[in-house]
Amino acid sequence: MTARARLLALTVVLLWGCNFLAIRVGIDHFPPIFFAGLRFLVIAVPVVLFVPRPKVELRWLLLYGLPFGFAQFGFLFWAMNAGLATGLASLVLQSSAPMTVALGALLLGERLGRIQIIGLLVAVAGMLIVAVAQGGSSIGLVPLLLGLLAGLSWAIANIATRKAKSTEPMKLMSWMCVIATAPLFAVSWIVEGPTTGWAALGSAFSTGDGRIALVGLAYTAIAGTIVGTGIYVALLGRYPAGTVAPLSLMVPIVGFTVAWAALGEVPTPLTLAGGVAVIAGALVAQSAGRRAASAARPLRRLRGRGVVRATPGAEETCRCGASLDVPAPPG
């Protein structure tokens, strides 16, 4: 990467890390599911008017948009509203990385290399450490479990992205907002009440906390999604995914720092230890999978040209550790 590209990459990490603080100030005023729907509505309206639908089958658009937009953010906002700390939320969402590796093996028949398995085990151990720390707190395990469901939803969306094989990732992300909006408002209408969210929106313009919540809404939609994702996709167009994608694992560092500075959240040493294990394990699992896939591609091309024959050893090289999907914006 050039110095300019590194600066842009760090900008994305900062934007996404601060996004969790924006979510926190938003759900402090709005009902959480309604706020998630409102966040996507802000983006969905111009998308429908000006952005053509991506050239993928409708089923894959739905299988990406519903888990990623509706389920992931519904669970995440619910978890944070139920007491999951802001910094911890930025960490728990990174569980999607090892979950994607595991789902790729279970659902797509991808073979895992030894290093990937070690990375998965380290990440799982880290989440168990975090669970022990959270279980000993006054909040309990329910918010953590909701956060893990958000990570699982993101991982399912990654698998759907793989199957969709879209060449228009930015359009796919944009139309995800369209897919997620109506289900989120429907659940809010049922669970939070048909008028609760709209009443909160009406009062937001006349109170100090409400105006701060509107700033949080603008940040999540514009800075976190449009600007952050736009830069991220542009970087992916110029550099290998294995170089760009692991940057998302730096987001919890910003998330914890911002939560400490703005909200006074101080994670316990046990939580920090678990967090380090989760990030390290996810990074190992991701990096090993991409290296294996990159090494397999030249062999496949040579085999296709008749230069090499498929030997058992070569087949093992090709099939172990398929590449992961590019993570979508966290938070």
Side-chain angles (χ1 to χ4, degrees):
M1 277 189 175
T2 64
R4 180 175 178 272
R6 290 192 185 95
L7 182 60
L8 288 172
L10 289 176
T11 300
V12 173
V13 171
L14 288 172
L15 289 173
W16 286 354
C18 293
N19 205 30
F20 289 89
L21 177 61
I23 294 171
R24 172 62 63 194
V25 300
I27 62 176
D28 281 347
H29 178 80
F30 292 102
I33 307 300
F34 180 86
F35 184 66
L38 201 60
R39 174 247 184 103
F40 286 126
L41 180 64
V42 171
I43 304 173
V45 172
V47 166
V48 170
L49 293 176
F50 303 111
V51 180
R53 217 190 84 182
K55 296 176 182 178
V56 297
E57 294 182 32
L58 179 60
R59 60 171 175 163
W60 296 123
L61 182 59
L62 292 173
L63 286 173
Y64 171 68
L66 290 176
F68 182 76
F70 168 63
Q72 180 196 180
F73 289 100
F75 282 127
L76 175 64
F77 285 28
W78 185 9
M80 293 179 68
N81 187 67
L84 187 65
T86 306
L88 187 57
S90 68
L91 168 67
V92 172
L93 200 58
Q94 296 306 316
S95 64
S96 64
M99 286 180 181
T100 301
V101 177
L103 287 179
L106 291 174
L107 301 179
L108 303 181
E110 296 170 350
R111 292 186 182 179
L112 301 181
R114 184 180 303 172
I115 296 178
Q116 280 182 289
I117 293 174
I118 293 173
L120 284 174
L121 292 176
V122 170
V124 170
M127 288 311 308
L128 289 175
I129 293 172
V130 172
V132 170
Q134 186 75 356
S137 70
S138 59
I139 300 300
L141 290 176
V142 172
L144 178 64
L145 293 176
L146 291 172
L148 290 174
L149 286 174
L152 177 60
S153 300
W154 182 359
I156 293 171
N158 283 341
I159 300 300
T161 307
R162 295 267 289 278
K163 299 296 290 184
K165 298 178 181 178
S166 174
T167 57
E168 304 168 305
M170 196 62 189
K171 287 184 180 179
L172 189 65
M173 277 293 302
S174 299
W175 274 82
M176 172 274 298
C177 300
V178 178
I179 298 298
T181 301
L184 285 168
F185 278 127
V187 171
S188 175
W189 189 86
I190 296 169
V191 176
E192 298 168 339
T195 61
T196 305
W198 298 107
L201 179 60
S203 67
F205 297 92
S206 59
T207 64
D209 290 344
R211 285 190 286 269
I212 293 175
L214 291 175
V215 172
L217 173 64
Y219 185 96
T220 61
I222 298 172
T225 303
I226 297 174
V227 178
T229 305
I231 296 173
Y232 188 71
V233 172
L235 289 174
L236 283 170
R238 300 185 61 182
Y239 299 98
T243 301
V244 179
L247 292 170
S248 68
L249 296 175
M250 295 173 60
V251 170
I253 299 174
V254 179
F256 274 110
T257 303
V258 170
W260 168 74
L263 305 174
E265 292 183 1
V266 180
T268 66
L270 195 60
T271 298
L272 289 176
V276 170
V278 171
I279 294 172
L283 181 60
V284 168
Q286 281 189 330
S287 300
R290 288 192 174 94
R291 282 198 299 268
S294 297
R297 288 190 196 103
L299 183 61
R300 291 192 186 101
R301 285 197 293 268
L302 291 173
R303 184 189 302 171
R305 295 171 187 169
V307 178
V308 296
R309 290 185 298 175
T311 64
E315 182 67 19
E316 185 69 22
T317 303
C318 290
R319 294 180 63 184
C320 71
S323 62
L324 295 179
D325 287 287
V326 175

